[in-house]
Amino acid sequence: MTDDFIVLEDLEKVFQVRRRKGRLRRERHEVRAVDGISFAVARGEMVGYIGPNGAGKSTTIKMLTGILTPSGGRLRVAGIDPSRERTRLARRIGVVFGQRTTLWWDLPLRDSYALVRRMYRIPEARYRANLERCVELLDLGGLLEVPVRQLSLGQRMRGDITAALLHDPDVLYLDEPTIGLDVVSKSTVRRFLGDLNAAEGTTVLLTTHDLTDIEQLCKRVMVIDHGRLMYDGALTGLHEVGESERTLVVDLERELPPIEGVEGARTVRTEGPRQWLAFPASASAAPIVSQIADGYPLVDLSVREPAIEDVISRMYGGK
Ligand SMILES: Nc1ncnc2c1ncn2[C@@H]1O[C@H](COP(=O)(O)OP(=O)(O)OP(=O)(O)O)[C@@H](O)[C@H]1O
Ligand SMILES: [Mg+2]
């Protein structure tokens, strides 16, 4: 056995949907929400799972929790087939859906947690230690007696994360855990997740539309689109796949016509004595700089890395 903790082989989920067509007729058609995805996540990894709206991210996570049964392919989490042994799996996993709470709306957080404790039969000492830790690190002090419906979105999200962790799950699925949070809450949540993964070795699968989450937390990222895996690797490697460009910003002594004849780069913008040249992100800037320095009165220069957002939107748009 390898140390792979989550294994997907050719996983598929097809939804049959009926659309009204005219007054009486209905047309049936299929939505291939997940269309043959394979990957493996090792124990202790923290992986980003990203893609545009409707790509199939939430559907994948629902299959990983056993909420949805796959239409095809194979799936194992901690050696368990999620849809067949959902209850047994529940003891091993924690789930946070940012879009909706798993807490009891009318109960104070503390009562919700007490119910979670009974549901999972968490030993008292463990429960207290875990709760204390989450309350401290997620800044929940003073909120435990407040009914969930009175919490702000950011407070509720931190409350949800706590609920998902009280039973010491080996793996945590987070579906947009930072959606709608302010900068402070976001950084609290990120720091907490980073520490959790580092200190407890919890395996984390993170879905988000905020790429800063990924940049700060995940060495590995998977990009899906139309139910297919488009990329699986290091975040930095996305630049190569996305054929992204870096930008060389040069300041000349004076305003001049656009720089020409530089091999491997092209001038994309000028503004007074400042000019911008684009070149492939995978290429070295040095030969470009020396060509410019040879032919132009160069005063200063800097290199700008492509924004990861641009790289990804190019990927989404490209295929
Ligand atoms: N229960 C369902 N019945 C029919 N179609 C569904 C169902 N759930 C999801 N879909 C469809 O499956 C596709 C994937 O949806 P999914 O929710 O997995 O996307 P997502 O990647 O999570 O998107 P988002 O970023 O918007 O959350 C979409 O086309 C969606 O309309
Ligand atoms: Mg979703």
Side-chain angles (χ1 to χ4, degrees):
M1 272 285 293
T2 59
D3 208 21
D4 287 336
F5 200 64
I6 302 174
V7 183
L8 284 70
E9 282 165 19
D10 252 330
L11 193 72
E12 283 179 22
K13 182 67 195 180
V14 181
F15 292 110
Q16 305 288 341
V17 287
R18 286 177 170 205
R19 250 197 320 224
R20 278 184 80 139
K21 220 187 167 200
R23 263 210 311 204
L24 294 171
R25 280 182 50 213
R26 275 171 194 233
E27 193 186 62
R28 285 173 61 117
H29 77 127
E30 291 188 339
V31 176
R32 305 188 73 80
V34 173
D35 194 10
I37 287 185
S38 305
F39 63 76
V41 175
R43 194 184 267 274
E45 258 193 298
M46 185 152 183
V47 182
Y49 195 55
I50 63 174
N53 291 133
K57 305 179 295 293
S58 297
T59 304
T60 310
I61 291 189
K62 286 174 188 161
M63 288 192 276
L64 288 169
T65 60
I67 298 173
L68 284 177
T69 308
S71 315
R74 211 179 89 96
L75 175 58
R76 289 288 180 277
V77 178
I80 298 169
D81 180 343
S83 57
R84 288 206 174 169
E85 290 186 273
R86 192 172 157 187
T87 320
R88 187 155 82 92
L89 182 70
R91 297 186 173 279
R92 311 288 302 274
I93 65 173
V95 197
V96 176
F97 286 105
Q99 308 268 21
R100 62 178 176 77
T101 184
T102 47
L103 301 165
W104 285 264
W105 207 237
D106 293 312
L107 295 184
L109 278 180
R110 191 186 293 286
D111 296 4
S112 274
Y113 296 156
L115 284 171
V116 172
R117 180 175 92 79
R118 262 192 269 161
M119 252 162 53
Y120 288 100
R121 298 198 189 97
I122 308 166
E124 183 68 31
R126 223 30 261 154
Y127 169 76
R128 274 218 217 120
N130 285 342
L131 183 55
E132 219 165 87
R133 186 164 156 274
C134 287
V135 166
E136 190 200 321
L137 297 177
L138 286 169
D139 229 352
L140 283 174
L143 296 175
L144 287 179
E145 315 307 332
V146 180
V148 170
R149 70 182 134 74
Q150 286 178 20
L151 297 175
S152 77
L153 179 62
Q155 294 167 339
R156 199 220 77 203
M157 198 80 83
R158 285 177 278 141
D160 258 301
I161 294 173
T162 301
L165 292 172
L166 292 171
H167 63 298
D168 289 313
D170 297 313
V171 52
L172 181 62
Y173 306 126
L174 300 154
D175 194 353
E176 304 194 44
T178 57
I179 190 166
L181 303 196
D182 67 30
V183 207
V184 179
S185 295
K186 271 189 186 179
S187 83
T188 306
V189 167
R190 283 179 194 143
R191 199 171 334 113
F192 178 82
L193 295 174
D195 288 351
L196 177 80
N197 174 253
E200 312 283 317
T202 308
T203 308
V204 180
L205 191 67
L206 169 67
T207 284
T208 180
H209 286 287
D210 186 338
L211 293 170
T212 313
D213 292 342
I214 307 284
E215 280 178 317
Q216 295 191 354
L217 292 171
C218 305
K219 288 195 197 83
R220 174 181 171 198
V221 60
M222 293 187 275
V223 182
I224 72 160
D225 194 10
H226 292 106
R228 290 174 186 230
L229 196 59
M230 310 295 286
Y231 177 81
D232 181 355
L235 187 62
T236 44
L238 264 178
H239 292 309
E240 282 151 44
V241 177
E243 292 174 352
S244 61
E245 293 183 315
R246 292 196 282 169
T247 309
L248 185 67
V249 187
V250 299
D251 288 323
L252 305 176
E253 266 174 15
R254 57 187 181 280
E255 188 170 343
L256 285 169
I259 295 171
E260 276 180 5
V262 176
E263 204 180 311
R266 60 180 208 289
T267 307
V268 289
R269 188 178 155 202
T270 65
E271 203 180 286
R274 177 167 286 193
Q275 302 208 10
W276 286 259
L277 289 90
F279 64 101
S282 50
S284 161
I288 296 165
V289 172
S290 71
Q291 287 179 72
I292 298 170
D294 282 350
Y296 292 85
L298 186 60
V299 178
D300 199 5
L301 61 87
S302 64
V303 175
R304 296 206 181 138
E305 296 299 321
I308 198 77
E309 281 86 352
D310 296 343
V311 177
I312 290 184
S313 62
R314 210 187 298 239
M315 272 189 79
Y316 290 169
K319 287 174 189 173

